[in-house]
Amino acid sequence: MPDDLYYMQLALDEARASAAAGEIPIGAVLVHNDAVLARSGNRTIGDNDPTAHAEIIVIREASRLLGNYRLAGCVLYVTLEPCAMCAGAIVQARVPRLVYAADDLKGGAFRSCFELLTSPKLNHQVEVTSGILAEDSAALLQSFFASRR
């Protein structure tokens, strides 16, 4: 749990940086053998890329660094429950463990809207821990969207 808190705080730092750049404040950190391989926030607006979610960016970078599209031994930390696209990428990359902060009631693909990460119909299931610093993540998202209304 202490490691989960530490890495989730790093993901929240990335989410804050995304908010400062005008992006939806979601951050992700990908860890391999207790070392941070990749960290990023959302970049969909800045990159003009609808797939530039924080999770996708760190999965791509970690795969490049490891020289393998399979991310065995990795843990992905993200500040919001992954969407269906990101959950699909997590499964395809064979990420063994996901830790996320807040549930996404409008699009989460772990339990809120879909159950992709643990579906026995898929060829890979992910161990998921949720709720780590959930209040901090939810407050950041609420503040971001309140400032836009």
Side-chain angles (χ1 to χ4, degrees):
M1 180 75 162
D3 287 343
D4 288 350
L5 290 171
Y6 172 75
Y7 293 123
M8 188 59 73
Q9 190 59 57
L10 294 180
L12 281 166
D13 291 345
E14 293 297 324
R16 288 184 194 98
S18 286
E23 301 276 357
I24 295 175
I26 299 170
V29 172
L30 204 137
V31 176
H32 180 257
N33 294 333
D34 297 323
V36 174
L37 275 184
R39 55 191 289 175
S40 183
N42 272 8
R43 297 192 326 221
T44 56
I45 298 166
D47 288 2
N48 293 310
D49 180 355
T51 69
H53 289 195
E55 300 96 307
I56 300 294
I57 294 165
V58 299
I59 287 171
R60 286 177 179 157
E61 179 64 11
S63 295
R64 187 186 66 74
L65 290 170
L66 292 174
N68 196 332
Y69 71 99
R70 300 270 172 104
L71 298 177
C74 291
V75 181
L76 175 60
Y77 293 86
V78 64
T79 58
L80 188 66
E81 179 182 3
C83 69
M85 175 184 69
C86 293
I90 291 165
V91 169
Q92 292 301 315
R94 306 300 194 272
V95 174
R97 182 166 183 248
L98 166 72
V99 180
Y100 76 86
D103 289 333
D104 182 359
L105 301 178
K106 294 183 179 182
F110 167 60
R111 70 172 163 215
S112 295
C113 296
F114 309 102
E115 295 180 12
L116 295 178
L117 296 171
T118 55
S119 173
K121 294 179 180 181
L122 298 176
N123 60 348
H124 177 73
Q125 289 79 42
V126 180
E127 175 190 336
V128 180
T129 303
S130 62
I132 305 296
L133 298 177
E135 296 82 13
D136 295 348
S137 177
L140 180 59
L141 285 159
Q142 289 167 352
S143 173
F144 176 81
F145 286 114
S147 72
R148 304 243 172 316
R149 292 184 182 123

